[in-house]
Amino acid sequence: MALLNSAPIIDGKQTDSLEGAAGAEFAHRFGGTGSKAEIAHLQRVRDALHEVVREQADPGTDLGPLIGGAILTPEVTPGGIRWELQAPATERLAVRAAMAWSDVTREMPGRLRPCANTECNLFLIDHSRPGSAKWCSMAACGNRMKVRTHAHRRRDR
C-alpha cells in the first residue's frame, strides 16, 4: 500500500513521494538501497500497478516485463521452506511490492481498489465485512464525497 499510495494528489496536483531524499528514505524503510536506479524502477512498477489495479492495463503485459527476471529459490530447513528472492538489487524492492500486490489480490479478491473519489489518486484494501468500502479515508475523501452528495440533493429539490 505504501508504494501504491506514494503518488498522492495534493492541492489538485499529483505529487511523487519517491522523488529526491524522500524516495531514498522510502526505499531504506522497506529494506532497499535507496539508489536512483532503484527509485526509478519502483516508480515504473508503481505506475504499472496503478494501471493494473484500475483495470486499465494487463498485468502480464505491463507489469510482467518489469519483474520478469526475478527468481524465487526455496531453502528447505527443519522449520519449513524459506523462499529467497533473487533479483538485481535495483529491482528487488519493486519485485517484493509486486509480490505483495499478488498476495493481496489472491487472498482478498476484489478488496484492493482505487479510492472512489475521482480527484484522489490513493488506493485502499477493503476490510469491511460486506466489501463495500469506497474511499481511502472516511475522514478525508469519504466525508468530502458525502458532503457533495448531500449538497447535490439539496440543490435538486
Side-chain angles (χ1 to χ4, degrees):
M1 287 304 295
L3 182 62
L4 278 175
N5 288 335
S6 67
I9 294 176
I10 299 175
D11 296 327
K13 293 185 178 183
Q14 184 171 335
T15 62
D16 191 341
S17 302
L18 297 179
E19 291 180 346
E25 182 182 318
F26 178 95
H28 287 186
R29 188 170 66 237
F30 292 100
T33 65
S35 72
K36 288 183 180 183
E38 179 181 50
I39 300 304
H41 195 68
L42 275 170
Q43 289 169 318
R44 288 190 297 274
V45 168
R46 177 202 56 208
D47 295 346
L49 285 170
H50 274 210
E51 298 297 312
V52 167
V53 173
R54 287 189 172 96
E55 298 180 351
Q56 297 171 341
D58 175 67
T61 303
D62 297 289
L63 185 59
L66 297 172
I67 62 169
I71 298 170
L72 284 176
T73 305
E75 179 184 339
V76 181
T77 68
I81 298 174
R82 187 176 75 78
W83 293 92
E84 182 178 331
L85 174 61
Q86 296 177 2
T90 57
E91 298 177 13
R92 198 169 297 131
L93 186 55
V95 170
R96 286 182 31 226
M99 290 169 60
W101 159 79
S102 178
D103 289 346
V104 169
T105 58
R106 185 180 58 255
E107 294 171 15
M108 302 172 71
R111 297 295 182 126
L112 174 62
R113 62 180 72 110
C115 180
N117 179 356
T118 57
E119 297 171 5
C120 181
N121 198 39
L122 301 180
F123 295 81
L124 65 123
I125 296 177
D126 183 356
H127 293 284
S128 70
R129 184 176 295 239
S132 59
K134 296 179 183 179
W135 301 289
C136 62
S137 162
M138 248 336 269
C141 287
N143 190 45
R144 281 188 206 120
M145 297 306 289
K146 287 183 176 197
V147 167
R148 285 181 192 162
T149 300
H150 180 70
H152 287 298
R153 282 188 199 139
R154 292 189 61 147
R155 199 174 37 215
D156 293 340
R157 284 185 189 178

